[in-house]
Amino acid sequence: MGEVAAELLYGMPAMRLSWPGPDGISGGGGGAEAAGGCGALLAELRQLWGEIGKSREERERTVRELEMECMRVYRRKVDEATAERASLHQSLAAGEGEIAALTAALGADSSPQLKVNKWTMSLNDRVSAATNLLEELRAMKAERSKQFTAIRSEIDKISTEISGRSYGYDNSPRASEFDEHDLTIRRLNEYRARLSSLQKEKSDRLHRVLEHVTEVHSLCDVLGEDFIAIVNEVHPGLHETADPGKPTSISDSTLASLSQVVAMLTSEKTKRAAMLREAVVPLVELWDLMDSPEEERRSFRKATAVLRPVREEALSSGVLSIATIKKTEEEVERLTRLKAGRMKELVLKRRLELESICRSMHVEPDTSTVPEKSIALIDSGLVNPSELMASIDEQIAKAKEEQQSRKEIMDKINKWLLACEEEKWLEEYNLDENRFNTGRIARLNLKRAEKARLIINKIPAMIDNLMSRTLVWETERNKPFLYDGARLVAVLEEHKQARLRQEEERRRLREQKKLRTLFSEKEAMPHLKRPGSSFGRATEPCNMSRKRVDAAPPSVRSSSGSSGSSGGGAADPFRPRSSAAAGSGAGHCGEFFRSGGARRLSAAAPFNYVAVSKGGGGGGGLSSSMMS
């Protein structure tokens, strides 16, 4: 029996029970309290048994029952503690296993580690530490899984858009499955790199799609086609009116279809441009041929852009539409019908243009297309009006080319004619008795006369320069340079000879005038006053001399009067009174132009030269000195 039974049976004092503390060290406080409580109960039970008169056997039986009941209670508590310990070990093992799995999935480098000391820490502490770590790892796994899910969802979305499946049009796509046992940073970076590559490919494809769509829009605009209808055949989400919630299709099939549409529209554009060009070329020719007004041309200015040597992308909207081409062809047909009725008028107009060009060059136009002959040919139907117009246009082109080659010589001829005009004016100015009057007009005329004398002095150099340039022109083109039907070199040569003859005549007249002046002075000298004569009788010889002069012949009297003047007032019998004699050579030159049946030079200017009157003035001065 135990201590309790001994105490109950024999009244022995009970031993102190020592209960182990929570740290395994026995403590007396708790055991003493338990022993004190049990002792009081045992004392009370013994007293009761004594009063009752329980026998030793009954007491022993009762004590054994108490011991067995105590053993059962202790065993139950031990079993419960053992089960709790096993449960904690199991929980710890499961937690450590899950921690290991999560650490492997998240990567040991980026996961926190479980740091416990199993020799110094109780099971509860170890389980608590594992639980905290497990919660942290689970949160990390959830966050990492969310990142993987988002990246995989974006990858799958872009992949389906590139492949052209309907997944791209689902507003809430389901992410594809991924390996949850590999959530490491390395794996996440691989997914991110793949996503970046797909995003770049998507951007490139989207750029290509937009380029194709823009090109299709431009081609449809030029061709006048329905852009939305054409794009809908490729994909309904490629135009502006599409559902904004749906992404733009970037699949291979869409790109291939767009490329085919662009190629088809480009081919159609080239074909229509050729059709429009075939219609516009005759249209422009008819405009030029018929001198159509700007109002009729304005509506077709956009269509004529196909003839310009620029890129066809610069064509305006709808210029290559079927309606525009048809309208242009109808305009060509209308002008073609109108051309037949206006051909005579156009032929005459072109002929007048040719004659105007030839008139500016002072040459005769080709006689094969004279108006009378051209009208007769058109009325008879022997010649196609277009061919006749082409012939006249060819003559105009040749005339313009020759006009350009004759330009330098014509400019020199005009300067020469202007110099001749100045010469004629100066001659008339010298014959004017009132040229020395005071006044603004007289001063202006005097300045013009000075300039005219300078220009006239350059006439010989002008003629020589003009002749040399004309000869070079004739040598280069192997034909004579005609001016109003006459060869210019011959005219210039004759003018040069006439000028020489005129200079010789002027020199002869000056010599004769000097001789007449000297003769008059000698006639007047015997009637002068002799030395030693009286003052009163000196007047008689003078009167006799005056009578003798008055009785002289008219010619002598005229020359005597002119000798006393300055040469500008009285007329000289040996000098022409007008420009007829002074310009005899120039007048002959003008007659040479008229002899050819052609038009005269500009304003029929005669080639007159000024007869210098200083010779007469010199004679007058000499007579005065001798008389003195």
Side-chain angles (χ1 to χ4, degrees), residues 229-399:
I230 292 177
V231 170
N232 277 335
E233 295 179 358
V234 178
H235 195 277
L238 296 178
H239 53 82
E240 297 178 354
T241 60
D243 186 4
K246 295 182 180 180
T248 303
S249 178
I250 56 175
S251 63
D252 292 335
S253 60
T254 300
L255 287 172
S257 300
L258 286 175
S259 299
Q260 293 177 359
V261 170
V262 169
M264 182 268 293
L265 292 177
T266 303
S267 176
E268 184 67 18
K269 179 181 178 181
T270 303
K271 179 181 176 181
R272 292 191 186 181
M275 294 172 59
L276 184 61
R277 193 176 294 108
E278 292 178 358
V280 168
V281 169
L283 179 62
V284 174
E285 293 177 354
L286 289 170
W287 281 347
D288 296 338
L289 184 65
M290 303 177 68
D291 291 333
S292 298
E294 184 62 26
E295 290 75 11
E296 294 184 3
R297 303 187 185 193
R298 186 176 296 112
S299 58
F300 294 94
R301 285 300 182 189
K302 294 181 179 180
T304 56
V306 297
L307 301 179
R308 299 171 188 168
V310 295
R311 298 182 61 186
E312 294 183 355
E313 285 74 4
L315 297 177
S316 57
S317 176
V319 71
L320 295 180
S321 62
I322 298 297
T324 301
I325 297 175
K326 185 177 180 181
K327 182 180 178 181
T328 305
E329 292 175 348
E330 292 175 353
E331 180 67 12
V332 171
E333 294 177 359
R334 185 185 71 82
L335 292 178
T336 302
R337 292 191 299 269
L338 185 62
K339 181 183 73 172
R342 296 182 58 187
M343 189 54 67
K344 293 181 182 179
E345 179 183 351
L346 296 174
V347 168
L348 293 178
K349 190 172 182 179
R350 283 287 191 271
R351 175 64 187 186
L352 291 177
E353 182 180 355
L354 175 62
E355 291 179 356
S356 175
I357 297 174
C358 293
R359 191 182 303 112
S360 65
M361 296 188 298
H362 290 267
V363 297
E364 288 294 329
D366 192 351
T367 59
S368 63
T369 57
V370 293
E372 296 80 5
K373 185 176 180 180
S374 299
I375 296 301
L377 290 174
I378 293 175
D379 292 338
S380 63
L382 298 176
V383 177
N384 188 357
S386 298
E387 296 178 358
L388 185 59
M389 286 294 298
S391 176
I392 297 177
D393 290 339
E394 183 179 358
Q395 294 174 9
I396 290 175
K398 291 181 180 179

Side-chain angles (χ1 to χ4, degrees), residues 117-305:
N117 188 354
K118 61 183 179 179
W119 303 109
T120 60
M121 295 180 66
S122 64
L123 286 176
N124 286 324
D125 293 339
R126 291 167 62 186
V127 170
S128 177
T131 302
N132 294 334
L133 179 61
L134 188 59
E135 291 178 356
E136 184 178 355
L137 290 175
R138 286 173 179 173
M140 288 183 62
K141 179 182 178 182
E143 181 65 24
R144 192 73 58 82
S145 298
K146 187 185 296 183
Q147 295 178 3
F148 271 89
T149 301
I151 293 176
R152 282 296 306 178
S153 176
E154 192 67 22
I155 289 175
D156 292 341
K157 181 179 179 181
I158 297 176
S159 299
T160 51
E161 289 179 3
I162 292 176
S163 62
R165 297 193 300 268
S166 59
Y167 173 88
Y169 298 100
D170 189 2
N171 292 328
S172 57
R174 182 181 60 85
S176 61
E177 298 295 335
F178 60 92
D179 187 7
E180 294 186 354
H181 299 290
D182 190 359
L183 300 178
T184 60
I185 296 295
R186 177 186 60 80
R187 185 67 172 173
L188 183 63
N189 291 334
E190 291 178 359
Y191 274 80
R192 287 173 177 172
R194 183 179 177 186
L195 177 61
S196 177
S197 176
L198 288 175
Q199 287 175 343
K200 184 177 182 303
E201 183 179 358
K202 177 182 178 180
S203 177
D204 294 341
R205 286 173 173 264
L206 185 61
H207 183 68
R208 289 165 56 190
V209 167
L210 293 179
E211 284 184 350
H212 287 322
V213 171
T214 302
E215 190 171 1
V216 170
H217 185 275
S218 176
L219 291 171
C220 290
D221 184 57
V222 173
L223 296 173
E225 300 293 337
D226 188 357
F227 167 72
I228 295 179
I230 292 177
V231 170
N232 277 335
E233 295 179 358
V234 178
H235 195 277
L238 296 178
H239 53 82
E240 297 178 354
T241 60
D243 186 4
K246 295 182 180 180
T248 303
S249 178
I250 56 175
S251 63
D252 292 335
S253 60
T254 300
L255 287 172
S257 300
L258 286 175
S259 299
Q260 293 177 359
V261 170
V262 169
M264 182 268 293
L265 292 177
T266 303
S267 176
E268 184 67 18
K269 179 181 178 181
T270 303
K271 179 181 176 181
R272 292 191 186 181
M275 294 172 59
L276 184 61
R277 193 176 294 108
E278 292 178 358
V280 168
V281 169
L283 179 62
V284 174
E285 293 177 354
L286 289 170
W287 281 347
D288 296 338
L289 184 65
M290 303 177 68
D291 291 333
S292 298
E294 184 62 26
E295 290 75 11
E296 294 184 3
R297 303 187 185 193
R298 186 176 296 112
S299 58
F300 294 94
R301 285 300 182 189
K302 294 181 179 180
T304 56

Side-chain angles (χ1 to χ4, degrees), residues 484-529:
D484 287 341
R487 187 184 177 193
L488 181 61
V489 175
V491 174
L492 295 175
E493 185 65 30
E494 186 172 351
H495 180 82
K496 193 174 181 180
Q497 296 299 327
R499 185 179 181 84
L500 293 176
R501 289 194 298 271
Q502 184 183 9
E503 291 292 336
E504 185 66 25
E505 181 66 19
R506 289 170 57 190
R507 190 161 44 257
R508 187 181 63 81
L509 291 175
R510 284 197 299 270
E511 294 292 336
Q512 290 181 359
K513 187 173 182 180
K514 289 180 181 181
L515 291 176
R516 291 292 182 184
T517 303
L518 292 174
F519 177 76
S520 299
E521 291 176 352
K522 287 180 181 181
E523 289 290 331
M525 286 178 65
H527 304 286
L528 295 177
K529 181 180 177 181

Side-chain angles (χ1 to χ4, degrees), residues 353-461:
E353 182 180 355
L354 175 62
E355 291 179 356
S356 175
I357 297 174
C358 293
R359 191 182 303 112
S360 65
M361 296 188 298
H362 290 267
V363 297
E364 288 294 329
D366 192 351
T367 59
S368 63
T369 57
V370 293
E372 296 80 5
K373 185 176 180 180
S374 299
I375 296 301
L377 290 174
I378 293 175
D379 292 338
S380 63
L382 298 176
V383 177
N384 188 357
S386 298
E387 296 178 358
L388 185 59
M389 286 294 298
S391 176
I392 297 177
D393 290 339
E394 183 179 358
Q395 294 174 9
I396 290 175
K398 291 181 180 179
K400 288 182 178 180
E401 181 181 359
E402 185 167 355
Q403 183 184 29
Q404 186 66 25
S405 66
R406 292 166 62 101
K407 184 178 185 302
E408 181 181 357
I409 298 177
M410 293 299 297
D411 292 341
K412 295 181 181 297
I413 291 175
N414 292 332
K415 292 181 180 179
W416 172 48
L417 294 177
L418 289 175
C420 293
E421 288 291 332
E422 290 297 314
E423 183 181 23
K424 179 181 178 182
W425 177 86
L426 184 61
E427 181 183 2
E428 295 176 354
Y429 174 75
N430 289 331
L431 295 178
D432 187 8
E433 296 180 356
N434 299 323
R435 64 182 181 276
F436 296 115
N437 293 340
T438 59
R440 183 172 179 274
I441 297 178
R443 289 195 300 272
L444 294 177
N445 289 335
L446 183 60
K447 290 182 180 180
R448 181 180 176 183
E450 292 298 329
K451 293 182 181 179
R453 291 187 183 96
L454 295 176
I455 295 174
I456 292 169
N457 291 333
K458 298 179 182 179
I459 289 180

Side-chain angles (χ1 to χ4, degrees), residues 535-584:
F535 179 77
R537 298 179 58 186
T539 57
E540 293 181 359
C542 294
N543 293 332
M544 292 176 62
S545 177
R546 187 182 297 111
K547 291 179 181 180
R548 188 177 299 171
V549 172
D550 293 338
S555 61
V556 176
R557 193 164 58 243
S558 174
S559 63
S560 176
S562 63
S563 65
S565 65
S566 61
D572 191 350
F574 297 98
R575 182 179 177 185
R577 298 179 56 125
S578 65
S579 62
S584 61

